[in-house]
Amino acid sequence: MLASLKGKSVIVTGGSKGIGLGISLAFARAGAFVTIAARGEEAGANAVKELALIGGAGQFLQTDVTDWEAVKSTVDETVKQAGLDIICANAGIFPKQSIEEMEPEQWELVQNTNLRSAFYCTKAALPQMKETGQGRIILTSSITGPVTGDPGWSHYAASKAGQLGFMRTAALELAPHNITINAVLPGNVKTEALDDLGDDYLKKMGQMIPFGRLGAPREVASAVLFLASDEASYITGQQIVVDGGQVLPEGLEAPD
């Protein structure tokens, strides 16, 4: 299963931490060459070391996903070194801020990081994927926005819902070139980015999920790997929710 990923070249934006690191490690275990595209040099270098520890191959390229030239440069450098078969537009931020207190600049930063970067990644990868006659694009969206809402995250919700609107039209444009584009919609996943929310908040979040716990990055990564594989060659413009059943209960309490 998923043997088709061996020898593939993949870019993971935001691939040095959290869900992105989980995705990077999963691709490395599957035998792919992984380019970790992220802003932080120290985190990027550490992530490459983690790839090496599991016998994976990869590199770190410092990348600001809000900058078109930076994204294009990362794609071009990856193509030069290893080709490009898969790009995961995973980078994202979710600073909490009410609409009343939010400054326009804060709104724009979240849209640029989460939504505009999905367009940049797709556009930058398209020439290489058209040339080779195949490609996989996977977006990391969220249940927040497409399925649910949460006070303080209107900018984040808008960006994640926007990703899916972009994906559906992009799927129509890319299909003639044998390029698929799909999305994973994680629920609450335990990453270092959630640490600032506090233990009580995280415990409450876990209690609201039918499985009784937060998800793990590797569980999101498994869905990403499937969408990137040959086994998913006839799937495009679709979304997979990875949330432990979080959005299913009708009442305020998850089932025992």
Side-chain angles (χ1 to χ4, degrees):
M1 182 66 171
L2 307 187
S4 59
L5 295 173
K6 186 175 179 61
K8 298 291 187 181
S9 172
V10 55
I11 295 173
V12 183
T13 68
S16 63
K17 296 180 179 180
I19 291 175
L21 179 57
I23 293 171
S24 297
L25 291 170
F27 272 113
R29 290 189 184 97
F33 180 86
V34 183
T35 296
I36 295 171
R39 290 179 300 179
E41 290 188 57
E42 182 177 356
N46 289 337
V48 171
K49 290 178 183 177
E50 289 198 47
L51 297 184
L53 286 174
I54 62 171
Q59 64 178 344
F60 166 66
L61 295 178
Q62 190 171 27
T63 311
D64 178 356
V65 296
T66 70
D67 184 329
W68 161 243
E69 292 299 333
V71 174
K72 187 175 183 300
S73 176
T74 290
V75 169
D76 289 346
E77 181 64 24
T78 301
V79 169
K80 186 190 307 181
Q81 293 192 37
L84 179 61
D85 303 288
I86 303 153
I87 189 163
C88 299
N90 167 79
I93 57 174
F94 50 98
K96 188 174 185 179
Q97 190 71 64
S98 69
I99 295 171
E100 184 176 12
E101 297 177 348
M102 188 184 304
E103 296 296 333
E105 293 79 11
Q106 293 172 300
W107 173 274
E108 289 300 325
L109 177 61
V110 172
Q111 303 312 310
N112 291 344
T113 305
N114 299 357
L115 178 55
R116 182 177 293 183
S117 65
F119 160 67
Y120 285 170
C121 288
T122 302
K123 182 175 176 61
L126 187 53
Q128 171 68 9
M129 290 183 175
K130 284 179 64 177
E131 183 175 328
T132 58
Q134 61 84 35
R136 299 282 187 272
I137 301 168
I138 299 102
L139 313 180
T140 301
S141 182
S142 173
I143 61 170
T144 305
V147 185
T148 67
D150 205 353
W153 281 290
S154 61
H155 46 6
Y156 177 80
S159 70
K160 293 302 180 177
Q163 284 182 333
L164 299 188
F166 168 74
M167 173 193 74
R168 293 183 183 108
T169 294
L172 297 175
E173 296 185 18
L174 302 180
H177 306 291
N178 196 33
I179 302 168
T180 69
I181 179 169
N182 294 287
V184 291
L185 279 61
N188 290 315
V189 176
K190 184 67 173 71
T191 67
E192 61 270 28
L194 296 184
D195 289 345
D196 291 342
L197 298 177
D199 291 339
D200 289 343
Y201 184 82
L202 295 180
K203 182 178 179 180
K204 184 178 179 181
M205 287 167 61
Q207 290 172 341
M208 296 173 63
I209 298 170
F211 270 90
R213 63 173 177 84
L214 302 184
R218 60 177 174 76
E219 293 173 308
V220 179
S222 293
V224 172
L225 261 63
F226 168 66
L227 291 172
S229 70
D230 286 353
E231 286 82 353
S233 60
Y234 202 55
I235 300 173
T236 195
Q238 303 303 312
Q239 60 201 55
I240 297 179
V241 174
V242 186
D243 72 343
Q246 183 175 343
V247 301
L248 297 178
E250 289 188 26
L252 297 178
E253 297 182 1
D256 293 331

